[in-house]
């Protein structure tokens, strides 16, 4: 028996990690997991909750959300976006910088930190890496940016894509700090040319968006970014992997020792080109949902560990902004942070992945890649009590009108899911309980500050490359 009184004990559940599931009780004290042990072995507690028959998972860590504040709060803000996260079993989010204004300087980061004080869940904040703010990067780091985002291709907000020269300089600056750089890895000029030609030809259907962004845009961008990361020692992350083709440069970079990770999103796993006719312009997202063969390849890459994690690219818009007869007028993206866990747990129920696979990709991998491990991403003594309690048998139907996001539209409308988070705790406090938002938990979320900054990988440079070739040249010459 432990010699302390816990704040809360979760009794009778199945604790899940990335490689095991086991029956255990969990004791929580002062926002931390104090003990994990055999059923009935926990200390006395001020509150006890019976979770028999349910899974006790580390809360999901979504490193890719757009909460739209400041500037686009008719689409979303920190209160509504974080409420959606809490309802979806997500306990930490990393929020993107393409707001208005973008998070390109320390002053703009501080404004976003103030806006985020409404959050129900913990959060990290991205700083922007762009052509015209290289001199601001050090200030962003000092002000508390948790990671950086580089838009290699155009997306919402129309931020200009930086030149390769600016990317190289930015990577050199940020490599010194060990913070990860997330990449919207699509080559801009190919997309711009294809989009213009299709629009001029009157090609305005949903599938034309897919034609405008062939997979080569990702192949080129992933390969180029990996080369810059290898050269500088920067740590990089490939966002929203959508195609089979880009898996090759990702795998090759990993094999060379580049510190590169990758994510995919439920839409690239569960939708394909056959769904364009069914949901129309609602499906428009960057990069686009592709063919069934791409989806199958990404599933294989998830199971093998080549694709490290699941994220959502939560990108809400109003229904009016999404439903357009001309595809180029439809805003790109849709809500995802509330539906990700039920959608993926349904794939666990279907036998496509294991629950351990899901924990690895939803919590452990993002915690490790973004410097949150071991404080987050695990159910173990000493970790923060960020927990999603899941009923694996509970069934619900996704309805946009019920989403807590302001973006009341989703391509998963009407999909029945099996496996739902019934309680969500952030640092030991319920933010969602019995499938209801805990209203007075608004503002409980805080910015993650204990990032474990990794030293940069040893960069390759010209001298090393020449020296590596010299012996072979000498031997060949002989």
């Amino acid at each position: 028996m432990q010699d302390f009184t816990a704040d809360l004990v979760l009794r009778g559940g199945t604790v899940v990690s990335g490689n095991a599931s086991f029956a255990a009780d969990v004791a929580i004290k002062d926002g931390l997991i104090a003990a994990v042990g055999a059923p009935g072995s926990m200390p006395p507690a001020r509150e006890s909750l019976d979770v028999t028959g349910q899974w006790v998972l580390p809360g999901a860590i979504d490193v890719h959300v757009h909460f739209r504040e400041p500037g686009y709060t008719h689409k979303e803000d920190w209160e509504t976006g974080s409420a959606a996260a809490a309802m979806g079993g997500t306990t930490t989010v990393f929020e993107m910088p393409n707001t208005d204004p973008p998070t390109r300087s320390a002053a703009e980061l501080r404004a976003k930190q103030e806006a985020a004080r409404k959050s129900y869940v913990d959060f990290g904040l991205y700083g922007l890496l762009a052509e015209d703010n290289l001199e601001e990067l050090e200030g962003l780091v000092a002000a508390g940016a948790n990671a950086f985002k580089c838009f290699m291709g155009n997306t919402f907000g129309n931020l200009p894509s930086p030149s390769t020269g600016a990317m190289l300089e930015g990577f050199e600056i940020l490599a010194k700090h060990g913070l990860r750089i997330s990449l919207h890895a699509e080559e801009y000029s190919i997309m711009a040319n294809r989009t213009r030609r299709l629009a001029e030809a009157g090609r305005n259907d949903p599938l034309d968006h897919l034609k405008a962004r062939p997979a080569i845009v990702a192949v080129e961008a992933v390969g180029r970014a990996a080369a810059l990361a290898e050269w500088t020692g920067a740590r990089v992350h490939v966002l929203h992997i959508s195609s089979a083709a880009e898996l090759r440069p990702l795998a090759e970079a990993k094999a060379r020792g580049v510190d590169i990770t990758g994510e995919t999103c439920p839409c690239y796993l569960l939708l394909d080109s056959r769904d364009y006719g069914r949901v129309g312009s609602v499906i428009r997202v960057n990069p686009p949902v592709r063919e069934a063969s791409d989806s199958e390849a990404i599933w294989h890459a998830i199971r093998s560990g080549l694709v490290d994690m699941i994220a959502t690219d939560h990108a809400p818009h109003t229904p009016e902004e999404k439903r357009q007869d001309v595809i180029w007028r439809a805003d790109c993206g849709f809500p995802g942070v509330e539906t990700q866990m039920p959608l993926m747990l349904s794939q666990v129920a279907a036998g496509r992945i294991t629950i351990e696979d899901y924990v690895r990709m939803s919590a452990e991998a993002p915690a490790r890649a973004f410097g949150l491990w071991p404080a987050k991403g695990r159910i173990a003594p000493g970790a923060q009590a960020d927990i999603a309690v899941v009923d694996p048998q509970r069934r619900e139907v996704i309805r946009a009108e019920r989403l807590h996001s302001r973006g009341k539209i989703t391509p998963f409308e009407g999909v029945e899911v099996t496996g739902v988070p019934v309680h969500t705790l952030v640092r030991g406090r319920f933010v969602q309980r019995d499938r209801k938002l805990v209203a007075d938990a608004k503002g409980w979320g805080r910015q993650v500050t204990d990032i474990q900054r990794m030293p940069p990988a040893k960069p390759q440079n010209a001298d090393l490359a020449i020296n590596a070739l010299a012996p072979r040249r000498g031997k060949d010459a002989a």
Side-chain angles (χ1 to χ4, degrees), residues 7-133:
D7 298 322
L8 173 67
V9 169
L10 303 175
R11 295 185 293 103
T14 298
V15 172
V16 185
S17 72
N19 54 26
S21 299
F22 51 94
D25 292 352
V26 178
I28 298 168
K29 184 174 178 62
D30 297 331
L32 301 177
I33 296 172
V36 179
S41 67
M42 292 297 101
R46 295 180 179 87
E47 182 181 2
S48 179
L49 181 64
D50 185 355
V51 294
T52 300
Q54 298 174 346
W55 290 329
V56 180
L57 313 182
I61 299 170
D62 190 341
V63 299
H64 190 172
V65 304
H66 301 265
F67 282 174
R68 303 303 193 199
E69 188 176 6
Y72 305 108
T73 52
H74 70 286
K75 300 172 184 281
E76 192 77 287
D77 64 20
W78 272 93
E79 179 179 352
T80 57
S82 66
M87 292 301 298
T90 294
T91 52
T92 304
V93 297
F94 274 47
E95 204 270 341
M96 289 293 173
N98 56 330
T99 44
D100 186 14
T103 317
R104 64 171 69 240
S105 70
E108 287 153 344
L109 181 68
R110 285 191 286 269
K112 186 166 285 190
Q113 289 167 331
E114 182 64 25
R117 292 178 65 181
K118 302 188 288 287
S119 183
Y120 284 86
V121 301
D122 285 354
F123 56 90
L125 297 175
Y126 279 97
L128 181 67
L129 167 54
E131 183 82 23
D132 59 355
N133 79 324

Side-chain angles (χ1 to χ4, degrees), residues 250 254 260-262 298-309 357 360-361 365:
L250 176 66
K254 287 190 173 190
I260 186 170
T261 54
I298 299 169
W299 273 113
H300 179 75
I302 276 183
R303 290 188 288 262
S304 72
L306 174 58
V307 172
D308 302 86
M309 65 192 78
D357 289 334
R360 172 179 53 80
M361 71 175 74

Side-chain angles (χ1 to χ4, degrees), residues 1-274:
M1 180 68 69
Q2 305 287 337
D3 59 354
F4 64 91
T5 298
D7 298 322
L8 173 67
V9 169
L10 303 175
R11 295 185 293 103
T14 298
V15 172
V16 185
S17 72
N19 54 26
S21 299
F22 51 94
D25 292 352
V26 178
I28 298 168
K29 184 174 178 62
D30 297 331
L32 301 177
I33 296 172
V36 179
S41 67
M42 292 297 101
R46 295 180 179 87
E47 182 181 2
S48 179
L49 181 64
D50 185 355
V51 294
T52 300
Q54 298 174 346
W55 290 329
V56 180
L57 313 182
I61 299 170
D62 190 341
V63 299
H64 190 172
V65 304
H66 301 265
F67 282 174
R68 303 303 193 199
E69 188 176 6
Y72 305 108
T73 52
H74 70 286
K75 300 172 184 281
E76 192 77 287
D77 64 20
W78 272 93
E79 179 179 352
T80 57
S82 66
M87 292 301 298
T90 294
T91 52
T92 304
V93 297
F94 274 47
E95 204 270 341
M96 289 293 173
N98 56 330
T99 44
D100 186 14
T103 317
R104 64 171 69 240
S105 70
E108 287 153 344
L109 181 68
R110 285 191 286 269
K112 186 166 285 190
Q113 289 167 331
E114 182 64 25
R117 292 178 65 181
K118 302 188 288 287
S119 183
Y120 284 86
V121 301
D122 285 354
F123 56 90
L125 297 175
Y126 279 97
L128 181 67
L129 167 54
E131 183 82 23
D132 59 355
N133 79 324
L134 296 178
E135 70 284 356
E136 303 283 357
L137 298 183
E138 293 284 4
L140 280 162
V141 173
N146 300 105
F148 283 80
K149 173 71 175 284
C150 178
F151 291 93
M152 298 176 74
N154 69 303
T155 188
F156 181 80
N158 293 320
L159 298 178
S161 301
S163 65
T164 304
M167 286 178 61
L168 177 63
E169 292 189 30
F171 280 25
E172 288 172 339
I173 293 167
L174 296 175
K176 298 181 297 183
H177 299 283
L179 295 177
R180 199 163 291 273
I181 305 165
S182 290
L183 306 159
H184 183 118
E186 292 185 290
E187 202 284 325
Y188 171 74
S189 64
I190 298 173
M191 298 185 298
N193 188 59
R194 288 287 179 94
T195 300
R196 175 183 56 79
R197 293 185 60 167
L198 285 162
E200 288 175 352
R203 300 286 296 275
N204 297 318
D205 293 335
L207 275 168
D208 292 319
H209 177 61
L210 174 55
K211 295 180 176 68
R213 300 172 98 103
I216 185 60
V217 302
V219 175
E220 190 279 343
V222 173
R224 176 158 49 103
L228 297 177
E230 185 176 20
W231 193 259
T232 60
R235 306 168 73 211
V236 296
H237 177 66
V238 181
L239 299 165
H240 41 44
I241 291 170
S242 67
S243 70
E246 68 196 281
L247 297 172
R248 179 174 178 175
L250 176 66
E252 290 172 345
K254 287 190 173 190
R256 298 197 307 270
V258 179
D259 191 339
I260 186 170
T261 54
E263 71 178 38
T264 193
C265 308
C267 61
Y268 304 118
L269 295 169
L270 304 176
L271 303 173
D272 60 54
S273 59
R274 294 168 294 186

Side-chain angles (χ1 to χ4, degrees), residues 431-450:
V431 294
Q432 182 248 126
R433 188 163 188 171
D434 296 319
R435 296 297 293 148
K436 295 180 181 178
L437 187 69
V438 178
D440 64 2
K442 173 184 171 182
W444 176 248
R446 70 183 185 194
Q447 185 175 4
V448 293
T449 56
D450 50 354

Side-chain angles (χ1 to χ4, degrees), residues 318-368:
T318 68
E320 296 75 19
E321 290 167 334
K322 287 296 294 178
R323 293 193 180 103
Q324 295 286 332
D325 293 334
V326 175
I327 192 60
W328 317 116
R329 297 174 185 164
D331 280 352
C332 297
F334 34 77
V337 74
E338 190 166 348
T339 56
Q340 176 269 118
M341 187 175 287
L343 287 168
M344 296 307 295
L345 291 175
S346 297
Q347 300 306 302
V348 174
R352 205 160 194 181
I353 53 172
T354 68
I355 186 59
E356 294 84 6
D357 289 334
Y358 176 70
V359 167
R360 172 179 53 80
M361 71 175 74
S362 66
E364 290 187 1
R368 292 180 186 275

